[in-house]
């Protein structure tokens, strides 16, 4: 059954007009009145619906019933990633959504190859949010990954509050000797560096904000592999 995200609140049974993005999907698939589909609005609910009217500028559906499936992680995970070069960020966003991350924070660091700011950064963020929504539609998530505005690593770290009692923070470091270990915290934030890694000063700044330096073992993983490896580890309940 087709499944789409809508950026309007779905609150009660009845007829509604779809938001433009979802309406375009329905039109492209040539759905007809009477066809069934599934909708979600990011609230955690999933609605079964039926197309009632198809038009060039409007698609209307009847919301029949809502359920609240358990497809989100029990732990809220924030993935802070110094953006890799080329189009690898699209891959990270897509796979981070599939693996259940709640938030993705794109960062610029000292050794960054990709440096975004201003209007270009805003356009990229909007693009990545679209990638996250498409991945949520495909993977069955009811709450799409939220992509935050691009920030310098130093500014992001400076704005972080002290770690809460129920929060774990980790940073991948070639200097670390401690491997990842099971955590019991309800929230987890993980910082991953760019090609070439974080500088010593950046790593020290992360430690000062409560990030424990950890290693993934003797092999050097790519900038787009390491954060997803950690996320998979966290998503499996570690």
């Amino acid at each position: 059954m087709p499944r789409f995200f809508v950026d309007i609140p779905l609150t009660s049974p009845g007829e509604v007009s779809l938001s433009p993005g979802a309406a375009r999907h329905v039109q492209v698939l040539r759905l007809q009145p009477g066809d069934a589909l599934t909708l979600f609005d990011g609230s955690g609910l999933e609605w079964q619906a039926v197309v009632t009217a198809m038009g060039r500028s409007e698609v209307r559906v009847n919301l029949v019933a809502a359920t609240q499936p358990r497809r989100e992680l029990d732990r809220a995970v924030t993935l802070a990633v110094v953006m890799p070069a080329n189009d690898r960020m699209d891959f990270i966003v897509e796979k981070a959504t599939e693996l259940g991350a709640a938030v993705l924070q794109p960062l610029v660091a000292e050794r960054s190859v990709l440096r975004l700011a201003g209007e270009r950064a805003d356009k990229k963020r909007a693009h990545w949010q679209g990638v996250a929504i498409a991945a949520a539609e495909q993977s069955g998530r009811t709450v799409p990954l939220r992509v935050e505005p691009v920030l310098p690593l130093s500014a992001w770290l400076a704005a972080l509050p002290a770690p809460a009692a129920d929060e774990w923070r980790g940073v991948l470091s070639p200097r670390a000797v401690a491997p990842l270990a099971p955590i019991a915290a309800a929230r987890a934030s993980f910082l991953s560096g760019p090609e070439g890694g974080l500088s010593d000063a950046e790593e020290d700044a992360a430690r000062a904000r409560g990030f424990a330096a950890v290693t993934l073992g003797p092999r050097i993983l790519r900038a787009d592999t390491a954060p997803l490896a950690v996320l998979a580890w966290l998503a499996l309940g570690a």
Side-chain angles (χ1 to χ4, degrees):
M1 183 184 301
R3 185 174 186 274
F4 306 121
F5 172 79
V6 293
D7 57 3
I8 57 173
L10 304 178
T11 57
S12 60
E15 195 174 54
V16 297
S17 292
L18 293 184
S19 55
R24 281 195 297 273
H25 285 311
V26 171
Q27 291 163 338
V28 167
L29 289 178
R30 300 182 182 275
L31 298 184
Q32 298 299 316
D35 287 343
L37 67 165
T38 301
L39 303 173
F40 65 106
D41 62 359
S43 67
L45 296 178
E46 189 172 75
W47 284 85
Q48 301 307 309
V50 177
V51 177
T52 57
M54 288 286 296
R56 290 186 177 180
S57 59
E58 184 183 36
V59 175
R60 297 188 66 81
V61 302
N62 184 46
L63 301 178
V64 179
T67 59
Q68 192 164 17
R70 288 182 53 85
R71 301 194 192 110
E72 300 301 314
L73 299 185
D74 292 333
R75 175 185 294 120
V77 179
T78 295
L79 199 61
V81 178
V82 178
M83 299 175 292
N86 303 319
D87 294 325
R88 292 176 186 161
M89 195 66 178
D90 285 25
F91 178 80
I92 291 176
V93 172
E94 180 182 77
K95 301 312 172 188
T97 303
E98 292 178 17
L99 289 168
V103 178
L104 190 138
Q105 174 63 64
L107 298 169
V108 178
E110 289 181 26
R111 295 171 180 164
S112 289
V113 175
L114 179 61
R115 295 181 177 273
L116 300 175
E119 183 178 354
R120 187 173 173 224
D122 293 339
K123 288 182 178 179
K124 275 293 189 182
R125 180 198 181 193
H127 166 73
W128 291 328
Q129 191 63 65
V131 171
I133 288 171
E137 290 174 339
Q138 177 274 323
S139 64
R141 289 193 63 176
T142 54
V143 183
L145 171 80
R146 185 176 77 251
V147 181
E148 295 287 4
V150 177
L151 289 174
L153 173 59
S154 57
W156 180 71
L157 287 173
L160 283 179
D166 64 346
E167 180 185 8
W168 174 87
R169 292 177 180 175
V171 55
L172 188 62
S173 168
R175 296 190 287 165
V177 294
L180 282 171
I183 60 174
R187 294 184 293 153
S189 298
F190 187 82
L191 171 60
S192 184
E195 297 87 345
L198 300 174
S199 69
D200 289 349
E202 288 171 331
E203 186 182 321
D204 290 342
R207 288 173 183 256
R209 302 305 295 170
F211 286 80
V214 294
T215 177
L216 295 180
R219 294 176 301 281
I220 303 299
L221 302 184
R222 296 180 67 112
D224 53 336
T225 303
L228 296 176
V230 174
L231 180 55
W233 182 84
L234 292 170
L236 289 171

